[in-house]
Amino acid sequence: MHVQEWLEQVPAVSIYALVGIVIGLESLGIPLPGEIVLVSAALLSSQHGEVNPVILGVCATAGAIIGDSIGYAIGRKGGRPLLAWLERKFPRHFSAANVATCERSFQKWGMWAVFFGRFVALLRIFAGPLAGVLRMPYWKFLIANVLGGIVWAGGTTAVIYYIGVVAEDWLKRFSYLGLAIAVLIGVGSMLFIKRRAKKAAAEAEAAAAGPVAAEPQPVGVGD
């Protein structure tokens, strides 16, 4: 998928809306590539003046906060039957093993699971609905949701934007040699992240299959 090339063909307003909607739907609980779209749009804003990184960051943050809030409301109303329905519709993301892994994170970290969940692909999809299912007090969820949305969406936009500005200037100086090095670094990073993700998934499945995967108690979330 050449997301950035596609984004270059649409108006800036459409990019803002696209980023906000995709991130909002992902935060709501629908498996979408929100992070890929955000990173691509932020990189595009560093190379094309038509896309304002500040407006982009605000739209991404709003989408993240609103999507998570809707997901929380749906999860609180739907309860456990909602998770069972999601498992049937999206077995890859909402499998019993993934749900158990995320529940253990909520039991251990409480509201901080919502905050730090922004930076983990699996928890980013689960955080809102699962917090509602586990009946986390709304004020705790709201604080973690707002702070997490600002830090993740706004921070990602800012970091990728400035990296894009610096990288563009650097590549102009070093031409094809710099491009080759950048590509090698990118591929190496991607393979490393993919390997760590597979290892983490295997560990999560093993833990869910063992004795420690017993049904967690929802009471701990609200403590």
Side-chain angles (χ1 to χ4, degrees), residues 21-30 32-35 121 124-125 152:
I21 291 172
V22 171
I23 291 178
L25 291 176
E26 182 190 39
S27 301
L28 190 152
I30 300 176
L32 291 174
E35 193 166 41
R124 190 161 55 247
I125 298 173
W152 175 73

Side-chain angles (χ1 to χ4, degrees), residues 31-222:
L32 291 174
E35 193 166 41
I36 295 176
V37 172
L38 176 58
V39 168
S40 299
L43 188 59
L44 181 65
S45 71
S46 70
Q47 301 170 359
H48 299 274
E50 295 83 3
V51 181
N52 188 311
V54 176
I55 298 178
L56 181 65
V58 170
C59 291
T61 301
I65 295 173
I66 294 172
D68 242 19
S69 297
I70 296 174
Y72 175 90
I74 294 174
R76 193 173 181 90
K77 183 176 180 61
R80 294 283 175 179
L82 173 65
L83 295 180
W85 181 83
L86 288 172
E87 182 179 3
R88 292 193 299 270
K89 293 294 183 179
F90 306 102
R92 179 181 175 185
H93 297 86
F94 289 90
S95 65
N98 287 344
V99 171
T101 299
C102 292
E103 285 195 69
R104 287 195 296 273
S105 298
F106 269 74
Q107 292 297 321
K108 184 176 182 180
W109 302 106
M111 63 182 290
W112 293 109
V114 177
F115 178 86
F116 289 110
R118 286 291 181 189
F119 303 89
V120 181
L122 180 62
L123 275 176
R124 190 161 55 247
I125 298 173
F126 273 98
L130 191 56
V133 170
L134 297 178
R135 297 190 174 275
M136 175 183 288
Y138 183 70
W139 68 269
K140 287 188 175 183
F141 170 79
L142 182 62
I143 292 174
N145 179 29
V146 172
L147 293 179
I150 293 173
V151 173
W152 175 73
T156 298
T157 302
V159 169
I160 297 301
Y161 173 80
Y162 286 112
I163 287 178
V165 171
V166 173
E168 184 179 19
D169 182 62
W170 189 80
L171 289 175
K172 286 179 180 178
R173 297 180 187 178
F174 294 93
S175 187
Y176 292 106
L177 175 61
L179 179 60
I181 294 175
V183 169
L184 289 175
I185 293 175
V187 172
S189 301
M190 180 185 68
L191 293 176
F192 175 76
I193 292 173
K194 187 175 181 181
R195 182 178 178 183
R196 291 298 300 270
K198 286 185 177 180
K199 183 179 179 181
E203 291 176 351
E205 289 181 4
V212 294
E215 182 72 16
Q217 297 299 320
V219 178
V221 176

